[in-house]
């Protein structure tokens, strides 16, 4: 691929110069690029039929200089990549206008002072990836329908279709989505850095491969049903490992939930050769100290990242915390990936939703039909995590972004990122969040007066209360 950068005036394009320094050229060469100047390409096709000034029209006489970044593959026609106002590059004065020499049509090279080289390089470092992505070649998949940036990802498109039709009821954010998301965590967290080789393989599919062992761990109570469903589908497929399948199912399931981020999916995890050790999955009755220590040992997760991962509880329900009320959700909007769980866990608990009162790992809830985990309650009120918890309230985009980043980290525990292939493009784009859920609210009958303030540095946000009778939450129906 060839790269060029030009400072030019839209009215005097011929006076532009090419950025050309030994350092920047060496950096580009290491990435497979070489620099070249506009004068090496006399044909107007260099700009694909469009001149630089048409790509970056003159808007102000006082700011009429632009920096054009353009490139092409050695075996393809040239492509314009980026044109930005020169005054916004932060390198004003670094480039000097080329001056004509005594030879007809010949131009001298521009000058970059050593002091400005770093800024030029920083500019290219920021832009080179964006432009490269813009011209990435795609390959046609054998199904004749899809294309992919990596042919190895083609096998996954039909698997996504199978997951949507056979597991997720045609693309619903329902019980199987909740359970599949839970399984991504229970499989991946099965690793301990402190135990070395005996600490488990992380996201390696061990919970599917060694089902008889791992589903009998107390922390994995209730995972046997989704394990059996996923194993049944996996047995009909080829070209995907158990570890990949679990993470793919979780990402596809989440994509069915309005408001959710599009999760990253990397392919190439080898199958597990041993079961994960018992005790690697945190339990809802564990202390905050224990939970934070477990996440730190598994993958160096910070308290903020632990809270981000618990965004998953916005589309979650419990079947076995209180077995008398299966499908009991953690917030009042269990089919929407919104910030309500961070509001409602902060409300004062007044009741137990089931008939048998408290169960291990359960504390009082503020709403009929809603269950609250002890671990969520405690993390929302612990000084190390309370402000991170409260910070999610009414911050839909921040919550989604943090969850996406934390899940990307969780999904590759036990593996080197460099050994995996990015096939995120096979994950469907989630639907947008409904307008009614874009902002947090108090369920009907509750208000700021019911909040148990825990963040010492800022008050809980003021939110509207929904109209109507006191809220009662319906259970998530079985598939």
């Amino acid at each position: 691929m060839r790269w060029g950068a030009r400072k030019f005036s839209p009215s005097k394009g011929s006076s532009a110069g090419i950025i050309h320094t030994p350092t920047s050229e060496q950096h580009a060469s290491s990435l497979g690029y070489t620099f070249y100047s506009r004068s090496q390409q006399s044909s107007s096709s260099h700009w694909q039929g469009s001149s630089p000034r048409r790509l970056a029209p003159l808007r102000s006489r006082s700011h009429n200089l632009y920096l054009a970044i353009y490139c092409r593959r050695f075996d393809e026609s040239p492509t314009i990549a980026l044109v930005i106002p020169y005054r916004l590059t932060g390198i004003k004065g670094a480039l000097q206008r080329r001056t004509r020499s005594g030879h007809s049509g010949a131009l001298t090279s521009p000058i970059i002072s050593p002091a400005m080289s770093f800024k030029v390089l920083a500019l290219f470092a920021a832009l080179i990836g964006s432009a490269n992505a813009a011209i990435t070649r795609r390959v046609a998949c054998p199904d004749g329908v899809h294309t992919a940036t990596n042919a190895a990802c083609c096998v996954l498109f039909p698997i996504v279709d199978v997951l949507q039709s056979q597991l997720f009821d045609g693309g619903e954010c329902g019980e199987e989505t909740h359970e599949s998301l839970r399984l991504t965590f229970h499989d991946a967290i099965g690793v301990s850095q402190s135990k070395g080789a005996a600490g488990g393989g992380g996201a390696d599919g061990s919970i599917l491969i060694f089902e008889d062992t791992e589903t009998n761990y107390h922390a994995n109570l209730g995972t046997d049903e989704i394990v059996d469903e996923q194993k049944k589908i996996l047995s009909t497929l080829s070209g995907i490992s158990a570890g990949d399948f679990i993470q793919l199912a979780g990402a596809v399931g989440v994509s069915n939930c309005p408001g959710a981020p599009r999760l990253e999916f990397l392919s190439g995890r080898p199958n597990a050769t041993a079961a994960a050790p018992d005790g690697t999955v945190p339990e809802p009755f564990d202390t905050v100290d224990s939970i934070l220590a477990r996440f730190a040992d598994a993958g160096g997760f910070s308290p903020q990242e632990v809270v981000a991962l618990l965004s998953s509880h916005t589309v979650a329900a419990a079947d076995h915390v209180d077995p008398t009320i299966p499908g009991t959700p953690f917030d009042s909007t269990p089919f929407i990936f919104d910030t309500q769980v961070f509001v409602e866990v902060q409300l004062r608990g007044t009741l137990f939703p089931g008939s048998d009162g408290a169960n291990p790992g359960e504390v009082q809830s503020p709403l009929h039909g809603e269950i609250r985990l002890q671990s969520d309650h405690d993390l929302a009120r612990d000084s190390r995590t309370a402000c991170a918890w409260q910070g999610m309230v009414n911050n839909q985009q921040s919550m989604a972004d943090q969850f996406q980043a934390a899940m990307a980290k969780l999904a590759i525990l036990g593996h080197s990122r460099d050994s995996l292939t990015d096939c995120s493009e096979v994950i469907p784009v989630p639907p947008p969040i409904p307008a009614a859920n874009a902002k947090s609210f108090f369920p009907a009958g509750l208000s700021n007066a019911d909040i148990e303030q825990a963040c010492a540095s800022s008050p809980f946000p003021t939110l509207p209360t929904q109209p109507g009778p006191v809220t009662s939450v319906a259970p998530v129906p079985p598939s």
Side-chain angles (χ1 to χ4, degrees):
M1 198 171 279
R2 292 180 175 179
W3 279 81
R6 171 184 299 279
K7 186 186 86 169
F8 62 91
S9 162
S11 61
K12 297 180 181 180
S14 62
S15 66
I18 186 73
I19 294 177
H20 192 284
T21 68
T23 308
S24 57
E25 184 168 5
Q26 180 182 18
H27 175 67
S29 297
S30 70
L31 299 175
Y33 306 119
T34 59
F35 284 93
Y36 74 113
S37 68
R38 175 68 180 89
S39 61
Q40 290 176 282
Q41 296 286 333
S42 59
S43 170
S44 62
S45 66
H46 169 69
W47 299 103
Q48 293 192 332
S50 181
S51 70
R53 56 180 165 274
R54 283 188 230 154
L55 290 166
L58 178 61
R59 296 294 183 186
S60 168
R61 287 188 178 182
S62 61
H63 300 291
N64 62 348
L65 293 181
Y66 292 76
L67 185 69
I69 311 295
Y70 52 93
C71 58
R72 77 179 187 118
R73 292 182 180 275
F74 291 115
D75 57 346
E76 294 180 358
S77 9
T79 304
I80 183 70
L82 293 164
V83 178
I84 53 178
Y86 185 60
R87 61 189 173 84
L88 300 182
T89 64
I91 55 174
K92 185 175 181 181
L95 302 179
Q96 296 188 9
R97 179 178 295 183
R98 289 176 131 180
T99 57
R100 294 189 178 277
S101 69
H103 300 285
S104 176
L107 299 175
T108 64
S109 296
I111 299 172
I112 293 183
S113 67
M116 302 308 295
S117 294
F118 178 78
K119 291 186 177 181
V120 174
L121 285 173
L123 175 66
F124 272 91
L127 299 179
I128 200 167
S130 299
N132 186 41
I135 59 172
T136 299
R137 302 178 71 178
R138 300 183 66 83
V139 298
C141 295
D143 63 6
V145 177
H146 298 98
T147 62
T149 55
N150 190 315
C153 302
C154 285
V155 68
L156 299 173
F157 286 109
I159 296 176
V160 170
D161 293 339
V162 168
L163 284 168
Q164 292 285 47
S165 62
Q166 297 185 23
L167 188 62
F168 300 128
D169 302 318
E172 292 186 359
C173 181
E175 182 184 31
E176 273 67 32
T177 285
H178 305 167
E179 293 301 310
S180 293
L181 180 55
R182 181 189 181 203
L183 197 63
T184 64
F185 170 70
H186 283 245
D187 186 54
I189 202 69
V191 62
S192 170
Q193 296 179 3
S194 63
K195 294 182 179 179
D204 59 1
S206 62
I207 199 168
L208 295 187
I209 297 170
F210 299 96
E211 174 188 6
D212 292 343
T213 299
E214 292 196 33
T215 58
N216 284 308
Y217 295 159
H218 188 271
N220 290 335
L221 182 66
T223 59
D224 55 321
E225 294 178 8
I226 189 64
V227 165
D228 288 342
E229 287 187 74
Q230 289 199 10
K231 283 183 70 173
K232 181 180 178 180
I233 296 173
L234 181 59
S235 68
T236 68
L237 304 173
S238 60
I240 186 168
S241 68
D244 280 354
F245 185 80
I246 289 174
Q247 298 303 321
L248 179 65
V252 172
V254 169
S255 77
N256 295 325
C257 301
R262 190 185 192 189
L263 297 183
E264 179 183 73
F265 174 71
L266 305 184
S267 175
R269 299 167 185 81
N271 276 326
T273 57
D278 196 5
T280 54
V281 180
E283 302 232 40
F285 49 75
D286 287 345
T287 65
V288 172
D289 284 346
S290 174
I291 292 169
L292 296 181
R294 176 78 278 275
F295 276 96
D297 179 47
F301 289 93
S302 67
Q304 177 83 38
E305 289 173 318
V306 173
V307 172
L309 286 172
L310 290 174
S311 300
S312 61
H313 287 181
T314 189
V315 288
D319 288 330
H320 297 279
V321 175
D322 184 340
T324 68
I325 48 171
T328 307
F330 295 155
D331 73 6
S332 59
T333 57
F335 308 108
I336 306 293
F337 196 94
D338 59 13
T339 63
Q340 275 307 114
V341 70
F342 293 102
V343 176
E344 293 170 26
V345 170
Q346 204 73 59
L347 291 166
R348 185 177 299 107
T350 57
L351 56 88
F352 290 103
S355 58
D356 60 351
N359 294 274
E362 180 188 10
V363 296
Q364 286 185 319
S365 163
L367 299 172
H368 289 282
E370 181 176 296
I371 200 164
R372 178 180 288 175
L373 299 182
Q374 176 186 321
S375 51
D376 284 359
H377 171 276
D378 293 350
L379 284 161
R381 290 158 177 79
D382 188 274
S383 61
R384 291 163 290 184
T385 47
C387 291
W389 189 281
Q390 179 179 294
M392 298 293 192
V393 174
N394 231 6
N395 284 316
Q396 175 70 24
Q397 191 59 57
S398 176
M399 181 194 73
D401 290 346
Q402 289 185 58
F403 178 68
Q404 183 185 53
M407 282 297 294
K409 185 174 178 177
L410 176 78
I412 61 171
L413 290 181
H415 307 281
S416 166
R417 187 179 186 87
D418 294 339
S419 68
L420 304 176
T421 301
D422 191 345
C423 292
S424 302
E425 62 191 318
V426 308
I427 306 301
V429 177
I433 190 169
N437 299 93
K439 295 292 185 180
S440 302
F441 55 83
F442 289 117
L446 299 170
S447 68
N448 273 84
D450 299 292
I451 287 292
E452 294 182 335
Q453 178 70 38
C455 176
S457 61
S458 62
F460 196 87
T462 300
L463 305 174
T465 296
Q466 285 191 314
V470 174
T471 302
S472 180
V473 185
V476 173
S479 176

